[in-house]
Amino acid sequence: MAKVSEIYGSMVFNEHTMQERLPSATYKSLIKTMKEGKPLEIEVANVVAHAMKEWAIEKGATHFTHWFQPLTGITSEKHDSFLDPCSDGRAIMSFSGKELIQGEPDASSFPSGGLRATFEARGYTAWDPTSYAFIKDEVLCIPTAFCSYTGEALDKKTPLLRSMSAVEEQANRVLALFGEPRQRIVPTLGAEQEYFLVSEKAYAKRQDLIMTGRTLFGYAPCKGQELDEHYFGAIRPTVNEFMKELDNELWALGVPARTKHNEVAPAQHELAPIFTNVNRGVDENLLTMEKMRLLASHHGLVCLQHEKPFEGINGSGKHNNWSLSAGKKNLFDPGESPMDNLRFLVFLAGVIQAVDDYQELLRMSVASAGNDHRLGADEAPPAIISIFLGDELDAIVDALIDDHEYTNAEKVAMDLGVAVLPNFLKDNTDRNRTSPFAFTGNKFEFRMPGSGVNLSDCNMILNTAMAKSLKDFADAMEGKAGEEFEAAAIDYIRDVLTAHQRIIFNGNGYSEEWTREAERRGLANHPTTADALPCFVEPKSIALFEEFGVLTETEVRSRYEVKLEKYNKLLNIEARTMKRMVRRAYLPAINSYAAEVAGHINAIRSACAGADTDQQEELLRRLLLGIKEIDTQLRALGKLHHETLEIESEQEKANTYAHEVIPVMDRLRAAVDGLEVLVDRDHWPVPTYNDILFYV
Ligand code: ADP
Ligand code: MG
């Protein structure tokens, strides 16, 4: 087997390959484009395209594609071959700078939330030179942004890139106050991806898994996750083979997959990469998800990336580890020297302000039909946003707010009122798993995103909200220097912390008291997607995005529409799948079993006059009662579902799904699940949780 160091990045047109393959002048101007955002000349693009093509063909590629992230959240690609026929009947392989820089996919079938009228359906893809091109399945993939004829963003990448520039710009203004030169500042992302693996055979028999990604029915398995035996447990041989293949493929694509382990729920696993800049990090996460889905089939498995495939056991999330990096410095590293600490406190206060002011947007960014089953279900953070800082930072924040002395871990008293700040230690000790937004030593871990989500949205919001906090600080401080600056900065931090203290919570996020306490503090609590989405189009949100040039009002509105429509469509599919499964699978099976039981009763009676058939009759009665309840709920769902489909406003439709249709779906499920444990195993039409979760 090839060495990992040889495999790693072998399918990526990375800086090393660029340097090897490009004339030095071309290489230099490409690097300028990548690192400083300088526009790329067409002459340079032609040279790059030629080198890329030669490299790709050597690696076996025959096609190229502009790889982009439409508003569906998943990636899209359309393959074009390099083939260029000559007049003499032969063909050469060609790829021009123009083809590299820009593409024109027919965009009419991608969701645009009304942004792009069908008659001007053309969308443009534009090369994003800051994310490397790579070869996947013999196709040269060029990461691109996707926008409309009139320049509006139609994808997830464009606003993310814009938000990165915004936070870089404002962070540089802040660093300038600390006497630092202008530098490259990038948000970083390490995305821990959770997923389930189930056997293809079981999957193929579950219409609900196939159609909706989750089980719409299913009684709890005899054994759940209570023994804690799966978490970090020995990995099944089939799963191990899958993980090995996945690692190798990801490494070849330059995705630094690092940690893999079994998760809490049976059949649940996790993969964590080494962090990188947020743009590349999102691309890598999408590639990882795609590879997981594809490679699972090589091992007779199916990879479930739904947030809640099974009721009653943990769902899957995607921890979004986020930080800001300036060269080799991590701006959330508390640091060693007092001045580093002041800088750290400015950035810390910035995050606290950002998360408090835009808590609803953050919640909105992870809202999805699937994640609604997870947030607040005692396994994932609640739907209420709060920040966990840990004991030490918490004490520092308190000391700053109250303007009293802070005694650090080494019991050295410091007066925070003057410019001497403590040397505090990284707080790594207490890992509060119930917090949606936790400081973990030198980064923040946003734990609300669901496993299926594209992380562009939440990072775009984090970056933009952070840009806003930093801008406020820079606006207030510019013109001050030396001790005057330090004193003013401390006062400023104190004011920010005092104003936003309500968002800090170190206790148990799963408790009911917290829900009440959060309400008292005025924190938002949007339990469902339907409740969470409207804040996207509120004036405060639009003002934020427009101030930093991240999204225009039209772009915001179109995204809101797309999210609403997606939610409604998914719920429509779930309701339909439920009805069909009940009518065509469950009811026939239960009726046939009931008839068999009735037959047994008659047979016993005729064989043995006066025999005691109480048990059989009781079973039959329970089956018949169950059938009646299923029928009642099925009719209720049918009626409500039809009425909901008639609702014109997408928001109202979403509200009805969330608050009226789902409760009926839950009752229908309960009615069917109740019979699962009564009906003979051979009659039951689908594999049960026991069968699916405990395969070999
Ligand atoms: P956990 O206990 O949650 O598994 P880890 O320490 O293993 O936490 O880190 C989880 C993720 O955080 C990894 O993907 C790691 O690369 C990422 N990470 C570490 N430092 C940073 C950082 N500065 N910025 C973004 N992500 C980071
Ligand atoms: Mg984590």
Side-chain angles (χ1 to χ4, degrees):
M1 229 178 85
K3 279 200 251 149
V4 175
S5 56
E6 281 164 22
I7 300 173
Y8 192 81
S10 58
M11 290 300 186
V12 186
F13 198 74
N14 53 24
E15 266 181 61
H16 176 74
T17 314
M18 289 173 194
Q19 194 165 18
E20 231 175 40
R21 300 257 174 177
L22 295 173
S24 117
T26 314
Y27 171 72
K28 280 193 192 122
S29 55
L30 184 56
I31 294 292
K32 257 199 158 45
T33 302
M34 286 165 58
K35 304 232 155 120
E36 294 163 29
K38 296 262 177 327
L40 196 71
E41 308 288 334
I42 183 72
E43 296 76 28
V44 178
N46 278 330
V47 180
V48 177
H50 178 76
M52 238 188 218
K53 179 204 71 187
E54 294 294 303
W55 168 81
I57 290 173
E58 277 170 36
K59 301 265 176 195
T62 51
H63 289 67
F64 71 93
T65 184
H66 278 196
W67 190 73
F68 60 101
Q69 304 167 33
L71 298 180
T72 50
I74 48 174
T75 54
S76 288
E77 48 194 80
K78 178 190 75 164
H79 304 165
D80 284 308
S81 74
F82 292 122
L83 209 69
D84 191 0
C86 311
S87 54
D88 63 0
R90 291 178 307 160
I92 54 165
M93 301 293 255
S94 82
F95 182 50
S96 69
K98 189 164 172 295
E99 285 171 310
L100 167 65
I101 295 179
Q102 192 177 310
E104 291 186 24
D106 175 2
S108 54
S109 297
F110 291 110
S112 74
L115 250 189
R116 179 182 18 68
T118 329
F119 59 85
E120 48 178 45
R122 287 221 167 281
Y124 287 85
T125 49
W127 183 32
D128 162 24
T130 60
S131 194
Y132 300 133
F134 55 90
I135 300 169
K136 178 169 68 74
D137 305 319
E138 289 154 24
V139 178
L140 171 66
C141 299
I142 299 147
T144 54
F146 179 43
C147 57
S148 76
Y149 184 74
T150 41
E152 281 123 348
L154 292 174
D155 68 349
K156 302 256 177 195
K157 185 189 267 280
T158 305
L160 179 67
L161 290 171
R162 292 173 183 161
S163 74
M164 290 169 72
S165 304
V167 75
E168 176 172 19
E169 176 68 31
Q170 302 305 327
N172 260 313
R173 285 181 66 199
V174 171
L175 291 192
L177 292 162
F178 287 88
E180 294 199 26
R182 205 179 160 77
Q183 54 199 294
R184 190 83 225 230
I185 299 171
V186 288
T188 49
L189 167 65
E192 299 165 60
Q193 176 74 43
E194 291 180 339
Y195 60 98
F196 279 84
L197 287 175
V198 300
S199 93
E200 229 164 31
K201 283 201 195 92
Y203 176 86
K205 292 186 190 138
R206 297 278 322 207
Q207 278 298 306
D208 45 3
L209 278 180
I210 295 171
M211 293 294 151
T212 71
R214 76 179 181 107
T215 53
L216 299 170
F217 301 94
Y219 198 86
C222 298
K223 169 165 98 168
Q225 58 200 40
E226 61 271 42
L227 295 177
D228 291 328
E229 59 189 356
H230 194 255
Y231 191 54
F232 285 15
I235 298 171
R236 286 181 172 101
T238 26
V239 171
N240 210 13
E241 286 306 309
F242 160 83
M243 286 179 168
K244 273 197 244 168
E245 191 183 356
L246 179 63
D247 274 344
N248 279 322
E249 291 256 338
L250 291 177
W251 290 336
L253 289 167
V255 178
R258 180 155 194 266
T259 313
K260 50 183 179 184
H261 60 80
N262 283 353
E263 256 302 327
V264 171
Q268 191 185 30
H269 315 279
E270 180 183 300
L271 183 147
I274 295 170
F275 70 96
T276 177
N277 81 66
V278 68
N279 177 35
R280 173 104 185 113
V282 170
D283 285 355
E284 286 179 0
N285 178 249
L286 291 167
L287 266 177
T288 302
M289 290 173 74
E290 182 184 321
K291 281 289 169 199
M292 281 176 172
R293 290 191 301 267
L294 285 173
L295 297 182
S297 67
H298 295 180
H299 304 271
L301 299 168
V302 175
C303 177
L304 305 179
Q305 292 170 348
H306 192 281
E307 286 81 2
K308 190 77 175 175
F310 304 99
E311 199 169 271
I313 60 172
N314 279 7
S316 299
K318 176 145 56 191
H319 290 174
N320 187 98
N321 294 275
W322 175 89
S323 187
L324 285 174
S325 124
K328 290 204 163 33
K329 273 196 308 280
N330 177 346
L331 295 175
F332 289 113
D333 189 339
E336 301 288 332
S337 73
M339 274 314 285
D340 281 348
N341 286 355
L342 180 58
R343 191 187 64 201
F344 167 74
L345 289 175
V346 171
F347 280 86
L348 176 70
V351 175
I352 292 171
Q353 177 187 336
V355 173
D356 186 27
D357 276 344
Y358 298 101
Q359 49 180 289
E360 287 180 272
L361 272 182
L362 277 173
R363 163 69 184 100
M364 182 285 298
S365 72
V366 298
S368 73
N371 217 15
D372 284 358
H373 296 285
R374 195 180 147 256
L375 297 179
D378 285 9
E379 54 168 64
I384 307 162
I385 303 242
S386 64
I387 302 182
F388 167 81
L389 291 178
D391 292 342
E392 191 172 13
L393 270 193
D394 209 35
I396 289 170
V397 166
D398 282 347
L400 276 165
I401 291 176
D402 301 340
D403 198 8
H404 67 61
E405 283 191 353
Y406 166 71
T407 311
N408 80 2
E410 285 147 6
K411 306 273 179 269
V412 184
M414 296 276 183
D415 180 358
L416 286 167
V418 298
V420 184
L421 288 160
N423 258 336
F424 46 82
L425 307 161
K426 271 205 238 175
D427 185 272
N428 253 331
T429 46
D430 189 357
R431 310 293 302 269
N432 183 335
R433 290 280 157 194
T434 69
S435 175
F437 202 94
F439 180 69
T440 47
N442 58 5
K443 61 182 163 50
F444 287 89
E445 188 167 349
F446 183 37
R447 303 204 180 105
M448 279 174 121
S451 49
V453 79
N454 178 320
L455 289 176
S456 295
D457 285 358
C458 69
N459 286 295
M460 177 263 290
I461 286 162
L462 263 175
N463 296 342
T464 314
M466 190 64 192
K468 171 84 178 148
S469 304
L470 296 175
K471 177 173 188 284
D472 289 351
F473 178 79
D475 286 348
M477 294 295 137
E478 268 166 5
K480 296 187 174 62
E483 281 178 19
E484 189 203 1
F485 164 65
E486 285 168 31
I490 296 224
D491 283 343
Y492 185 97
I493 293 167
R494 175 176 302 118
D495 289 347
V496 168
L497 294 177
T498 309
H500 298 284
Q501 199 180 12
R502 65 172 187 167
I503 199 77
I504 300 170
F505 176 63
N506 286 340
N508 177 8
Y510 295 170
S511 69
E512 264 177 47
E513 296 87 75
W514 169 234
T515 311
R516 283 196 295 276
E517 165 68 8
E519 193 180 343
R520 200 188 54 74
R521 293 188 189 188
L523 299 178
N525 183 4
H526 299 307
T528 75
T529 300
D531 311 311
L533 291 184
C535 95
F536 202 3
V537 285
E538 271 167 23
K540 178 177 162 184
S541 312
I542 294 172
L544 174 74
F545 294 125
E546 292 207 314
E547 179 174 358
F548 293 95
V550 171
L551 288 170
T552 63
E553 175 163 359
T554 323
E555 287 170 335
V556 171
R557 291 195 182 281
S558 77
R559 268 148 223 267
Y560 162 72
E561 282 299 321
V562 170
K563 280 178 190 281
L564 266 182
E565 278 176 20
K566 183 170 177 192
Y567 177 78
N568 290 337
K569 284 177 183 166
L570 282 174
L571 264 299
N572 179 34
I573 295 170
E574 288 197 354
R576 261 202 223 145
T577 310
M578 264 198 131
K579 291 192 296 190
R580 202 163 303 180
M581 284 177 78
V582 170
R583 286 203 195 99
R584 304 196 46 186
Y586 291 116
L587 277 180
I590 301 163
N591 273 315
S592 125
Y593 182 60
E596 195 176 299
V597 174
H600 289 165
I601 295 170
N602 284 338
I604 294 168
R605 280 194 188 139
S606 61
C608 174
D612 180 356
T613 54
D614 280 3
Q615 186 271 332
Q616 288 82 350
E617 282 173 52
E618 174 58 19
L619 173 61
L620 184 57
R621 256 192 301 278
R622 286 173 71 186
L623 289 172
L624 293 174
L625 273 178
I627 290 169
K628 192 172 165 54
E629 171 67 4
I630 291 174
D631 185 57
T632 307
Q633 297 306 337
L634 180 65
R635 282 168 197 273
L637 178 61
K639 181 164 178 292
L640 192 56
H641 183 206
H642 276 289
E643 287 166 7
T644 311
L645 287 174
E646 296 297 308
I647 300 174
E648 227 161 87
S649 143
E650 292 289 336
Q651 179 66 55
E652 240 177 80
K653 199 185 267 182
N655 295 347
T656 312
Y657 272 125
H659 301 296
E660 292 176 42
V661 180
I662 289 180
V664 181
M665 286 167 62
D666 288 345
R667 288 201 285 277
L668 177 57
R669 174 188 185 133
V672 173
D673 291 356
L675 292 190
E676 187 183 310
V677 278
L678 290 183
V679 172
D680 162 62
R681 186 191 160 93
D682 293 337
H683 279 78
W684 202 246
V686 299
T688 65
Y689 277 22
N690 275 0
D691 305 326
I692 303 174
L693 291 167
F694 299 92
Y695 65 97
V696 279

